[in-house]
Amino acid sequence: QVQLLESGGGLVQAGGSLRLSCVASGSIYSVNFMAWYRQAPGDARELVAEISRGGRATYAHAVKDRFTISRDNAKNTVYLQMSSLKPEDTAVYFCNADDLGVPYWGQGTQVTVSS
């Protein structure tokens, strides 16, 4: 079992920045990829960015060059630095960990970007 706890969401004006954090605990030794997903009301959950244990990152086209995912393996923490935020980035952001093909999810943190 892997437990994930997100923090850092909130309300920000368009053009602003936020940093999300996700701390993993439990049986994390076999976790390779960690990721951030988001879900806006009425929409499907979508991948925002993911990062391997070795630090290889990939991004959704909509956030590339604005968001940065990073990972501190010593602290079992993954971050999402969000800059140049837009109203369309408004969503609940979920942390995800892949443990040998078994997905685990955090409870989500709300990000609201006002215009």
Side-chain angles (χ1 to χ4, degrees):
Q1 288 281 332
V2 176
Q3 294 81 44
L4 303 170
L5 182 61
E6 303 107 330
S7 62
L11 173 64
V12 64
Q13 289 188 330
S17 299
L18 279 176
R19 189 176 82 154
L20 307 183
S21 299
C22 172
V23 180
S25 60
S27 302
I28 60 174
Y29 306 106
S30 53
V31 170
N32 183 5
F33 284 95
M34 296 189 71
W36 288 96
Y37 284 72
R38 68 185 181 187
Q39 187 169 20
D43 290 346
R45 191 172 296 189
E46 63 177 3
L47 176 66
V48 175
E50 67 175 0
I51 187 168
S52 70
R53 178 176 287 274
R56 185 177 72 229
T58 58
Y59 298 91
H61 178 75
V63 307
K64 194 172 176 60
D65 299 327
R66 298 189 298 122
F67 291 10
T68 302
I69 190 170
S70 60
R71 182 169 176 172
D72 186 333
N73 291 324
K75 295 182 178 179
N76 300 322
T77 301
V78 62
Y79 305 96
L80 185 68
Q81 178 67 48
M82 305 184 292
S83 302
S84 302
L85 282 160
K86 305 175 181 180
E88 51 263 44
D89 294 318
T90 295
V92 178
Y93 283 70
F94 296 90
C95 181
N96 166 272
D98 181 279
D99 183 14
L100 299 178
V102 177
Y104 292 90
W105 298 94
Q107 82 288 350
T109 184
Q110 177 71 46
V111 172
T112 302
V113 184
S114 64
S115 57

